[in-house]
Amino acid sequence: MQLSLHSDYALRILMALAASGRRLSVDDVARQFDISRNHLAKVAQELQAQGFITTTRGRNGGMELAQEPQDIIVGDVVRRFERLDGFVSCLGLGASDCVVNGVCGLKPALSGALDAFLAHLDTYRLADLTPNRKAFLARLEAVE
Amino acid sequence: MQLSLHSDYALRILMALAASGRRLSVDDVARQFDISRNHLAKVAQELQAQGFITTTRGRNGGMELAQEPQDIIVGDVVRRFERLDGFVSCLGLGASDCVVNGVCGLKPALSGALDAFLAHLDTYRLADLTPNRKAFLARLEAVE
């Protein structure tokens, strides 16, 4: 059981933007975390499509948060970036394949557990993920 | 984010045993769920090592629950079968690799969310996963 790289990278971009308080390029964030630029660029597109960031083209362009860090709910980010309908095969669309589909109590138990997982993340705002903005930023900028 | 096949198969073996109330072979369960016999055999060994089942060799041998279905806590099964320390890279042993290790609030947020996930599963006993034992068993036996 692993958080997808998709969610992990989405959260890293958002945290870097929250800590820096300025426009950052995909290259900046890729360098700061030493992660794949290409994968990060796809996640950035998705963050824009989902309304979490805005992007500006050009020499001084880059990504900016579309909302204040205290207004972005962490559970919402994970909900949008994580594929949870395939958490176990019986939660997905092909659910009826399972021989005990409809008489098995595992599906509601796991659905409830995923709800509890997300509900916990709903208690965090993006701002909570960089509790000490200066220290977070110092670490990121030390890389550059 | 997906439950590992390891946990999924462990739960299926336990549910089949709980529903049938009798000794079952790995072959029986593999046939009932139409899943890999070899993978299931490894999971059965682990279930025995963890004290959830006992196994008997020989012609009439097979797997039996080591505890009553109402005494087996679903959260305990998932805790033993799921690798949660690698849920995100920063939860694992190589955590110090991350540039923001120690100043990032994501790690405690995700740890808490995983605790909430497991705490929800702790409210279920194995017996709750086959609420209608007869119907569950009828489905499994229809395969044979």
Side-chain angles (χ1 to χ4, degrees), chain B residues 2-129:
Chain B
Q2 277 190 309
L3 193 73
S4 70
L5 271 191
H6 213 57
S7 302
D8 186 1
Y9 285 8
L11 290 165
R12 292 197 206 207
I13 291 173
L14 294 176
M15 286 189 286
L17 292 172
S20 75
R22 63 180 179 89
R23 207 172 275 172
L24 292 175
S25 69
V26 167
D27 283 331
D28 291 334
V29 180
R31 196 169 49 242
Q32 288 169 342
F33 285 106
D34 190 22
I35 53 183
S36 153
R37 194 214 167 276
N38 286 347
H39 196 155
L40 215 51
K42 282 179 204 155
V43 173
Q45 276 187 338
E46 185 66 18
L47 279 169
Q48 183 179 28
Q50 297 280 354
F52 290 112
I53 63 170
T54 55
T55 59
T56 319
R57 290 175 185 274
R59 196 187 302 171
N60 295 313
M63 306 178 282
E64 276 179 294
L65 289 179
Q67 301 165 57
E68 294 299 317
Q70 55 271 32
D71 293 334
I72 296 179
I73 297 168
V74 176
D76 282 345
V77 179
V78 173
R79 229 173 243 111
R80 310 265 190 100
F81 278 83
E82 204 61 30
R83 271 205 56 202
L84 294 174
D85 60 353
F87 182 70
V88 280
S89 53
C90 58
L91 292 181
L93 292 174
S96 54
D97 289 351
C98 183
V99 64
V100 292
N101 183 42
V103 294
C104 172
L106 185 58
K107 191 171 170 172
L110 289 174
S111 292
L114 284 174
D115 287 345
F117 177 88
L118 292 168
H120 183 83
L121 293 180
D122 284 340
T123 65
Y124 289 83
R125 304 296 171 127
L126 176 57
D128 300 323
L129 301 189

Side-chain angles (χ1 to χ4, degrees), chain A residues 1-3 32 82-83 86-89 99-101 103 105 109 112-114 116-117 120-121 124 129 136 139 143, chain B residues 1-3 12 32 82-83 86-88 99-101 103 105 109 112-114 116-117 120-121 124 129 136 139 143:
Chain A
M1 185 171 157
Q2 277 189 310
L3 194 72
Q32 288 169 341
E82 204 63 30
R83 273 205 55 202
F87 183 69
V88 279
S89 54
V99 64
V100 292
N101 184 40
V103 295
L114 284 174
F117 177 88
H120 183 84
L121 293 180
Y124 288 83
L129 301 189
F136 195 98
R139 290 284 192 88
V143 178
Chain B
M1 186 170 155
Q2 277 190 309
L3 193 73
R12 292 197 206 207
Q32 288 169 342
E82 204 61 30
R83 271 205 56 202
F87 182 70
V88 280
V99 64
V100 292
N101 183 42
V103 294
L114 284 174
F117 177 88
H120 183 83
L121 293 180
Y124 289 83
L129 301 189
F136 195 97
R139 290 285 192 88
V143 179

Side-chain angles (χ1 to χ4, degrees), chain A residues 112-143:
Chain A
L114 284 174
D115 287 344
F117 177 88
L118 292 168
H120 183 84
L121 293 180
D122 284 339
T123 65
Y124 288 83
R125 304 295 171 127
L126 176 58
D128 300 322
L129 301 189
T130 56
N132 183 338
R133 257 187 68 182
K134 276 190 182 171
F136 195 98
L137 194 57
R139 290 284 192 88
L140 289 185
E141 292 186 341
V143 178

Side-chain angles (χ1 to χ4, degrees), chain A residues 32-93:
Chain A
Q32 288 169 341
F33 285 106
D34 190 22
I35 54 183
S36 153
R37 194 214 168 276
N38 287 347
H39 195 154
L40 215 51
K42 282 179 204 156
V43 173
Q45 276 185 338
E46 184 66 18
L47 279 169
Q48 184 179 27
Q50 296 279 354
F52 290 113
I53 63 171
T54 56
T55 60
T56 319
R57 290 174 185 273
R59 196 186 302 171
N60 295 313
M63 307 177 282
E64 277 179 294
L65 288 180
Q67 300 165 57
E68 293 300 317
Q70 56 271 32
D71 293 334
I72 297 179
I73 297 168
V74 176
D76 282 344
V77 179
V78 173
R79 230 174 243 110
R80 309 266 190 97
F81 278 83
E82 204 63 30
R83 273 205 55 202
L84 294 174
D85 60 352
F87 183 69
V88 279
S89 54
C90 59
L91 292 181
L93 292 174

